[in-house]
């Protein structure tokens, strides 16, 4: 293994069966990334964040693979995601809902063993009431806001929570958690202030395990690890830390099919609104993916794809279903109808593409869409 994902297709990289392209998910690389992160946080354990269909890669497949790798804690954002994931995981897997306990989901969570992340006293009271009604303890996780102002118990509710915990009750608190807002930036002061706040909370609510680090947090060092780390993007090969080489292995490869080629003279306009004007005679190829397939319109005139390691610039606007690329740099006839070009792979990482699009790897991954033929390896 050289750390890249091989195309793994017969016939010299051409598309079969009318597919527009192949989205290849390397489950072995995913497993190695999990091992690496587990090693990084040991003796703490690594959970897996599989919200948004495991960042677009398939929560069922990803979850099953990581469970086989020893992972037992899985975080989704929403109750419906937990319900969908449950049948894909053995009974000893715990599924946590980060967005909290929505009104009406109490019976569903209780019946299906889905564990809410409690984000307010109001949620705590509803979950406690459910436990009372059932006459049995129900598991929950307590999330605190340490400075992101997004989710979790606000500071002003801590006293009420402490009082409720003194009284006791039927919610079995598995651990307490918080989320870092700037963990990808090792220089950020916000990491230190959130760590100080989490340390204060852990002292006030002593006796509970702590979960704090996301992918970036894992690489901020042991102070941030707590007992359960919650990596997402790093599992899927995205860079956990900005500005340094990415220690993770790529998991996703994307190859897209050529649907037409042509040669245009100098002066020809390319794409919507004719934003690109060919300076010379130019060979062009149109490929079968556009912004509806998660290749952002912001790549218009900026990004590139690759073939045989040659950079093929995107020319003109990204369309809904297609993108036109300049293939003048390749031998004539190298690309024909059905040939594949590399959008994500050894020559272009997720973070490279995200940078050209002016976004982050998370948005690229979760947006990749469902028109590609998916292959799990
Ligand atoms: C999404 C999320 C994570 C995972 O973050 P990554 O940066 O992808 O590792 C962890 N914890 C919470 C609360 C999240 O919302």
């Amino acid at each position: 293994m050289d750390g890249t994902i091989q195309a793994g297709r017969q016939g010299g990289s051409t598309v079969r069966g009318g597919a527009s392209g192949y989205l290849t998910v390397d489950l072995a690389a995913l497993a190695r990334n999990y091992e690496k992160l587990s090693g990084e946080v040991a003796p703490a354990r690594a959970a897996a964040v599989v919200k948004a269909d495991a960042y677009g890669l398939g929560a069922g497949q990803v979850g099953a693979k990581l469970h086989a790798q020893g992972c037992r804690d899985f975080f989704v954002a929403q109750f419906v995601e937990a319900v969908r994931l449950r049948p894909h995981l053995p009974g000893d897997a715990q599924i946590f809902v980060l967005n909290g306990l929505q009104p009406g989901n109490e019976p569903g969570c209780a019946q299906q063993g889905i564990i809410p992340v409690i984000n307010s006293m109001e949620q705590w009271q509803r979950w406690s009431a459910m436990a009372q009604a059932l006459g049995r303890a129900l598991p929950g996780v307590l999330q605190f806001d340490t400075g992101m102002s997004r989710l979790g118990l606000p500071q002003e509710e801590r006293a009420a929570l402490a009082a409720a915990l003194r009284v006791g009750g039927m919610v079995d608190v598995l651990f307490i958690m918080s989320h870092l807002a700037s963990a990808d930036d090792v220089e950020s002061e916000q990491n230190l202030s959130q760590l100080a706040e989490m340390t204060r909370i852990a002292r006030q609510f002593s006796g509970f395990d702590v979960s704090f680090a996301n992918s970036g947090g894992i690489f901020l060092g042991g102070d941030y690890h707590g007992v359960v780390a919650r990596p997402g993007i790093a599992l899927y090969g995205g860079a956990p830390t900005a500005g340094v080489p990415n220690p993770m292995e790529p998991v996703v490869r994307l190859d897209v099919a050529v649907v037409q080629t042509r040669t245009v003279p100098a002066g020809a306009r390319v794409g919507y609104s004719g934003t690109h004007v060919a300076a010379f005679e130019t060979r062009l190829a149109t490929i079968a993916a556009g912004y509806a397939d998660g290749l952002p319109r912001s790549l218009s005139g900026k990004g590139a794809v690759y073939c045989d390691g040659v950079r093929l610039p995107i020319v003109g606007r990204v369309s809904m279903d297609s993108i036109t690329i300049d293939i003048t740099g390749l031998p004539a006839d190298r690309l024909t109808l059905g040939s594949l070009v590399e959008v994500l792979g050894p020559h272009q990482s997720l973070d490279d593409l995200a940078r050209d699009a002016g976004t982050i790897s998370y948005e690229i991954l979760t947006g990749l869409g469902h028109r590609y033929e998916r292959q799990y390896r």
Side-chain angles (χ1 to χ4, degrees):
M1 212 45 218
D2 61 358
T4 62
I5 303 166
Q6 302 306 316
R9 279 173 290 282
Q10 308 81 22
S13 286
T14 31
V15 81
R16 285 171 283 107
S20 62
Y22 297 106
L23 180 65
T24 310
V25 180
D26 185 342
L27 292 173
L30 171 80
R32 287 190 292 274
N33 284 341
Y34 180 73
E35 283 308 300
K36 183 177 176 67
L37 295 167
S38 296
E40 203 71 41
V41 299
R45 67 183 193 272
V49 178
V50 294
K51 61 193 181 190
D53 201 25
Y55 293 40
L57 302 187
Q61 289 90 341
V62 164
K65 181 70 182 178
L66 293 178
H67 185 277
Q69 214 59 31
C71 184
R72 293 294 178 270
D73 307 288
F74 297 86
F75 289 87
V76 294
Q78 297 170 4
F79 174 74
V80 290
E81 295 184 293
V83 171
R84 269 181 225 133
L85 178 59
R86 189 70 266 180
H88 294 276
L89 295 175
D92 63 350
Q94 298 189 305
I95 305 178
F96 305 94
V97 179
L98 290 167
N99 275 2
L101 185 64
Q102 301 298 305
N105 288 342
E106 302 87 349
C109 282
Q111 278 155 25
Q112 298 181 62
I114 291 165
I115 304 172
V117 171
I118 306 288
N119 285 324
S120 68
M121 280 313 289
E122 187 272 335
Q123 294 180 17
W124 168 269
Q125 278 142 12
R126 277 189 288 111
W127 197 226
S128 299
M130 187 76 234
Q132 291 284 338
L134 293 174
R136 65 180 167 96
L138 289 173
V141 168
L142 294 171
Q143 176 162 229
F144 293 87
D145 179 18
T146 53
M148 189 174 183
S149 315
R150 187 180 72 166
L151 286 170
L153 273 99
Q155 184 166 13
E156 59 271 20
E157 290 192 353
R158 284 181 206 163
L161 175 67
L165 287 170
R166 270 195 300 278
V167 173
M170 299 184 73
V171 175
D172 179 15
V173 178
L174 302 185
F175 51 86
I176 63 176
M177 64 172 275
S178 189
H179 189 48
L180 291 158
S182 303
D184 63 325
D185 176 6
V186 294
E187 305 281 310
S188 172
E189 295 284 329
Q190 198 175 11
N191 296 324
L192 296 170
S193 74
Q194 286 195 269
L195 178 61
E197 192 61 17
M198 192 67 220
T199 305
R200 211 169 296 135
I201 291 164
R203 221 175 282 132
Q204 185 181 359
F205 298 92
S206 58
F208 295 120
D209 284 345
V210 170
S211 175
F212 197 28
N214 66 334
S215 297
I218 288 172
F219 293 92
L220 291 174
D223 288 349
Y224 291 82
H225 291 170
V227 170
V228 190
R230 305 185 310 273
I233 195 71
L235 289 169
Y236 312 117
T241 308
V244 300
N246 183 358
M248 310 314 297
E249 259 189 71
V251 171
V252 182
R253 179 176 174 119
L254 178 60
D255 297 279
V256 173
V258 170
V259 286
Q260 194 164 26
T261 60
R262 74 184 69 248
T263 301
V264 297
R269 289 183 180 277
V270 181
Y272 280 118
S273 304
T275 55
H276 180 85
V277 181
F280 313 96
E281 183 177 280
T282 306
R283 263 180 306 121
L284 299 173
T286 300
I287 64 171
Y291 60 77
D293 306 288
L295 302 180
R297 207 162 159 275
S298 55
L299 289 169
S300 298
K302 271 194 210 140
V305 301
Y306 287 80
C307 176
D308 299 338
V310 177
R311 186 175 189 275
L312 309 173
I314 292 172
V315 288
R317 295 254 167 97
V318 170
S319 297
M320 181 189 293
D321 314 294
S322 65
I323 291 176
T324 301
I325 56 175
D326 183 340
I327 60 168
T328 311
L330 285 173
D333 299 331
R334 171 63 186 84
L335 291 178
T336 56
L337 185 60
S339 302
L340 290 165
V341 297
E342 171 194 333
V343 178
L344 294 171
H347 301 94
Q348 178 154 266
S349 73
L350 197 49
D351 287 277
D352 292 336
L353 188 70
R355 191 188 349 91
D356 283 347
T359 183
I360 54 175
S361 57
Y362 302 67
E363 194 175 24
I364 296 290
L365 266 190
T366 55
L368 284 177
H370 292 271
R371 289 201 288 189
Y372 312 112
E373 188 172 316
R374 283 168 177 246
Q375 303 180 325
Y376 291 89
R377 299 175 1 100

